[in-house]
Amino acid sequence: SRETTRERARHVADGRTRAVLALGSNQGDRVGLFRDAFAKLRRDLGFELHAHSSLYETAPAYVEDQGKFLNAACVGSFPDDVARDPLALLDGLKAIEAALGRDFGTRRYGPRPMDLDVIFHGQGSHSCDRLTVPHARYAERPFVLAPLADLTGAATATTTSDATTEGLLEARRIWDGTDGEVTAMESGDIARVIPMRDRLWSWGRETMVMGILNVTPDSFSDGGAYDGGVDVAVRHAREMVAAGATIIDVGGQSTRPGATRVSGEVESSRVIPVIRALAQAFREREDVYISVDTFYGAVASAAADAGADIINDVSGGAWDPAMLPTVARLEKPLPYVVMHVRGDPNSMQSAKNTTYDGHICDEVGDGLLATARRCVEYGIEPWRLWIDPGIGFAKTGRANIELLRDLPRVRSRLAPLGGALMNAPMLVGASRKRFLGEISGRSEASERDAASVAALVAAVRGGADVVRVHNVALSADAARVADALWR
């Protein structure tokens, strides 16, 4: 069933106080400072995250001769002894700002490494010379309203109401009343972003094509074609990039139904040399990214060191207990793709794992939400997550069709964790899968490219941001047409 914040509301009543915070930074390593702030909120102040906005890069306000800000908002709870008194919470936040290098003697509205503001507080309003809650100027600041609007799902999902709930709903009304999603987001003053490599990437304006590079002998579609050595793999990657791929997804073992699992050591020996060579081959390209398709934490870590930009995990952290803590600890905040799946390759297509009590889109969305919450519990920042509905994994052919028909319904179930998840890049991989062969009458996977393109267009229509494909040339053309129609 749909997740609510009932349990969180009970915890808040049991010695915890809820608050909505805004975060901002425009000095130093902004993303690194956001990671440090998130860690310190949890470790130093006992913060439990309920929902987090997307990250937004915004133009400076009031004082314009300074760099762009990275902004976000979150809602969660603190122990009462930390936050029931708003001034005690303020003191805790100021201590974190100071630890992250903020100089409180600089000009107002000027550059700062980290700014933590209390926007709404569970105990209601507060006013003194040190603090005003609700924040006095939040309603006039698009760079605050956009992140706050992302938290509406956390407010509407709750079974109880306090000042944070009421404040978030009011912020949403203000944002909608200013038509902020159009006037602000399309003006260029605000951009929804995610860290990728050493820059911030903004998505949603065009579909990214992820080319599949299997360096394994037993993939269902092209097993053995590109495991003839690093040079063969790199040559094929160059061909895919020339054909329109912007991401190369390197996999070292098959995860198709019934596949035999290989060890992390074997998988690593296959993918790490290729990833290292690709990182070197495309080192001058800012528009080409490398993804590693793995469910092993050790392989993910080695791939990150070798130059991978994305961790693509079909298990959502379920097949190796080391995966989630490993991703949380990565030196660079690589995006982590969480996919919906039940069971493993030996059991995923069993009747038990392909039977859903409710609508498939709701069940998949709720499953992704639960997986994302596990990621956050391990310390993975929610704005690093991408989502994948898992076409062909623990799904019947009919279920795959239902998912492609209504991907927005899947996304809508993610609202309780905030915009970081609900707005996250969605990856869809239907290319050459069996259900397309059953529909088209094509028993050979390599003959399903036309059917795959049809599925791709449906996915883009439903809000897919990244499509994982075998035939890059056909898929890139189809994606461009779909983008022209619907983006």
Side-chain angles (χ1 to χ4, degrees), residues 93-161:
L93 298 179
K94 292 300 178 186
I96 291 176
E97 291 178 354
L100 296 179
R102 183 168 182 182
D103 179 358
F104 295 101
T106 58
R107 59 181 171 171
R108 192 181 187 191
Y109 305 130
R112 73 285 309 271
M114 178 52 61
D115 190 14
L116 297 169
D117 286 331
V118 182
I119 306 298
F120 306 119
H121 192 279
Q123 297 300 310
S125 61
H126 179 91
S127 181
C128 70
D129 58 350
R130 293 186 60 207
L131 178 67
T132 299
V133 179
H135 194 283
R137 307 186 73 172
Y138 86 88
E140 68 182 43
R141 298 175 172 180
F143 61 88
V144 177
L145 282 172
L148 291 178
D150 275 358
L151 304 179
T152 307
T156 57
T158 185
T159 57
T160 62
S161 179

Side-chain angles (χ1 to χ4, degrees), residues 34 38 88 105 130 132 175 193 250 256 260 278 290 300 308 315 336 363-364 376 398 433 471 473 478:
F34 263 64
F38 183 61
R130 293 186 60 207
T132 299
W175 180 244
V193 296
V250 183
R256 74 186 191 284
T260 300
L278 292 176
I290 303 163
S315 81
Y336 179 56
E363 295 283 334
V364 167
V376 172
R398 182 65 185 173
K433 290 191 173 173
N471 189 320

